[in-house]
Amino acid sequence: MTANKKNIDWGGLGFNYMPVDRHIRYTWESGKWNSGRLLKKDEITLPIAATCLHYGQACFEGLKAFCWRDGTVRVFRPEENSRRINSTADHIQCPEIPEKLFLDAIKRVIKANLDYVPPYGTKGSLYIRPLLIGTGAGIGVGPSNRYDFIVLVVPVGNYYKEGISPVRAIISEDYDRAAPKGTGHIKMSGNYAASLKQAALAKKQGFPIVLYPDAKTRSCVDEFGTSNFIGITRSGVYVTPSSDTILPSVTNKSLMQIAADLGIPVERREISLEELPEFAEIGACGTAVIITPIGELVFKTRIFKYGNECGHVLRRLYDRLTGIQFGEEPDTHKWLRKI
Ligand SMILES: *Cc1c(COP(=O)(O)O)cnc(C)c1O
């Protein structure tokens, strides 16, 4: 284990911003990306008419790097995030980021911040946040003539310090997150802004997370505000919605593969809200937490219960995925990239 040069309380880390040594920034102008610079100051200067500020030309990503027992650092499936940021960029008319540039950016910024990678055994990881924003000035609606691609990193702790514990969720009735043929399937910053009011109302009522039905029929499951939906049926089938308005989660994709590896049948299909009380286990999945088990789900005047402890199928999936990430289980699908 490396010395704790920054005197970080690894055990006390949550999911919070903290300044680190460097971020990396590339600029696109006149049709091309520059070669990028590692910068110390964690602030940017923008024109007051920057398109990211007025018109929401902003895409982001989230992925993690892990320290193995031997001290090496590995990033989980960065090619998936590269593909996804380009799908977002295309939709909101930002320039493409070549995969090589995206992967180089991640490698360079991690290497510049190795002292911030939580050591093996702390269960923490280095959260990586790529950000692509229109930074050219423009007052008429249209794509920017200048963009910045920034990758920042921050050490984060294991969300479950006391073990995985289920949370209460509520089904949104008064607000939609994503419209059919809208922007639910891309990771643009505005989707999150659109979910904040409903999230605040839910939190006030004691629900840390919100499940959104599809906006068109309001009869099927779409996803949680910031994570995909997983249901485990009583016969042990992994079910996740197939919908054009949900964000294709890398965690969900990985868990589906792991389920298949473990011999758990996987179904991707429409899930009716009426089916919700039939599930044995329900979870929300995403990079930050991996799996959040849902203990109780409130739908209008009904309450569906799934137990006060994480169900055993979700637990198995969680253990296997985190085991692969920390190098304790074989990486049979070659998901990790060594830095
Ligand atoms: C980022 C995100 C997820 C989770 O995706 P991962 O790749 O698993 O981190 C799920 N839903 C929404 C709306 C998201 O923005």
Side-chain angles (χ1 to χ4, degrees), residues 27-34 95 135-136 144-148:
T27 300
W28 184 95
E29 259 174 325
S30 312
K32 55 178 188 292
W33 288 107
N34 70 8
T135 48
S144 176
N145 58 5
R146 185 197 142 108
Y147 294 85
D148 279 292

Side-chain angles (χ1 to χ4, degrees), residues 60-62 81 84 177 184 187 192 223-228 247-252 285-288:
F60 69 102
E61 274 301 326
N81 301 87
R84 196 168 66 188
R177 195 193 71 87
K187 212 165 174 85
Y192 277 69
E223 66 171 322
F224 295 96
T226 62
S227 41
N228 276 187
L247 200 278
S249 152
V250 180
T251 313
N252 197 3
C285 71
T287 296

